[in-house]
Amino acid sequence: MSDDEYRFLRDYDPRAYPSVALAADLVVFAVSAGTLYTAMVRRRDRPWEGALALPGGFVGPEEDALEAAWRVLREKTGLELGEHRAHVEQLATFSSPRRDPRMRVVSVAHLALLETDGRALPVLSAGTGTATAQWMPAYEVLANEKPAFDHRDILTAAVERLAGKIEYTLTGAKLLPEEFTLNQLRRVYQAVWNVPRLDPGNFTRKMAGALHDTGRKAGRAKGAPATVYTVADEHLSPPLVRPARRD
């Protein structure tokens, strides 16, 4: 470091600028019984005491935003993403000056897709600053709830990101085990797009080039065993265009 650089940093006063805090919020999606669920907490502390919220919190001085997102998820819901096959990506930055009544807080939101077998969801438990932690149908939250801060906007952005990506990629398969049936994958698409049914024949044709037939079969209580697939190509070409969703 040069002497000029040293003197500049020595005399630099960060208090001359408005303070801004950095937060990390996490939208965790999982599919069960044909429904898209998201992990939500109910706040125990002010502001927004008693309101629903996404798991989130402030980024520590020695953390980056992703590290903080994983930490606060564990602290607030008991869910440890490292124990599950999960896909995590940065969603967007939310920086409205009035999104938090305490001070200027910028949030880096992340999207997490959690693998399930389509039947059971991991158990959540209330933790730091939360009265409850629970899985809730994502579309019901958007239709009927008023989450804290701008968390409705964050959840809306996450739903739209996922719904859009599965039109042209196999991102939806990240909500399933590595090996899955076409029926399981179709139910994921129906859940994410919030539609009652996708035509099985058309769905199979669209997926054919992107899946690898393992040669194995999945046992079924009724009917012929279903073929088990893995993802062969992350991209769908041509894309599978989503239909109008149900209200």
Side-chain angles (χ1 to χ4, degrees), residues 1-42:
M1 180 185 300
S2 67
D3 290 343
D4 287 344
E5 186 81 2
Y6 173 79
R7 284 191 292 272
F8 167 78
L9 292 174
R10 182 195 61 194
D11 297 335
Y12 185 82
D13 184 5
R15 293 171 298 178
Y17 301 92
S19 61
V20 179
L22 183 64
D25 292 299
L26 200 60
V27 181
V28 185
F29 285 139
V31 171
S32 177
T35 299
L36 180 67
Y37 284 88
T38 187
M40 301 292 294
V41 299
R42 194 167 295 278

Side-chain angles (χ1 to χ4, degrees), residues 176-194:
L176 293 169
E178 290 188 50
E179 297 186 349
F180 51 86
T181 68
L182 273 170
N183 184 56
Q184 287 177 306
L185 184 60
R186 183 163 53 86
R187 285 170 66 84
V188 164
Y189 270 76
Q190 290 170 175
V192 173
W193 284 345
N194 198 30

Side-chain angles (χ1 to χ4, degrees), residues 38 42 138 142 144 156 166 183 220:
T38 187
R42 194 167 295 278
L142 292 176
N144 302 318
T156 297
I166 65 173
N183 184 56
R220 295 177 61 180

Side-chain angles (χ1 to χ4, degrees), residues 6-170:
Y6 173 79
R7 284 191 292 272
F8 167 78
L9 292 174
R10 182 195 61 194
D11 297 335
Y12 185 82
D13 184 5
R15 293 171 298 178
Y17 301 92
S19 61
V20 179
L22 183 64
D25 292 299
L26 200 60
V27 181
V28 185
F29 285 139
V31 171
S32 177
T35 299
L36 180 67
Y37 284 88
T38 187
M40 301 292 294
V41 299
R42 194 167 295 278
R43 290 178 58 81
R44 191 181 60 200
D45 303 326
R46 294 188 178 91
W48 293 91
E49 182 181 5
L52 283 175
L54 295 168
F58 290 106
V59 177
E62 301 299 323
E63 294 178 312
D64 63 29
L66 180 58
E67 291 170 336
W70 285 48
R71 173 183 56 79
V72 298
L73 179 69
R74 181 178 64 251
E75 291 176 352
K76 291 180 181 292
T77 71
L79 181 62
E80 175 58 78
L81 287 183
E83 297 177 357
H84 304 272
R85 193 171 81 97
H87 167 79
V88 181
E89 64 182 63
Q90 191 173 124
L91 175 62
T93 299
F94 293 81
S95 58
S96 170
R98 288 168 290 280
R99 62 178 303 275
D100 191 313
R102 293 169 293 188
M103 63 180 298
R104 180 76 185 272
V105 179
V106 174
S107 175
V108 180
H110 295 79
L111 170 64
L113 307 180
L114 191 64
E115 169 199 333
T116 73
D117 60 4
R119 296 188 295 271
L121 295 170
V123 176
L124 304 182
S125 57
T128 306
T130 63
T132 62
Q134 60 190 311
W135 293 102
M136 299 183 68
Y139 282 98
E140 289 188 14
V141 173
L142 292 176
N144 302 318
E145 303 291 346
K146 294 182 179 179
F149 307 106
D150 56 356
H151 289 188
R152 189 180 190 281
D153 294 338
I154 297 176
L155 180 56
T156 297
V159 168
E160 285 303 308
R161 164 75 66 85
L162 180 57
K165 285 188 75 168
I166 65 173
E167 289 192 39
Y168 60 93
T169 73
L170 262 292

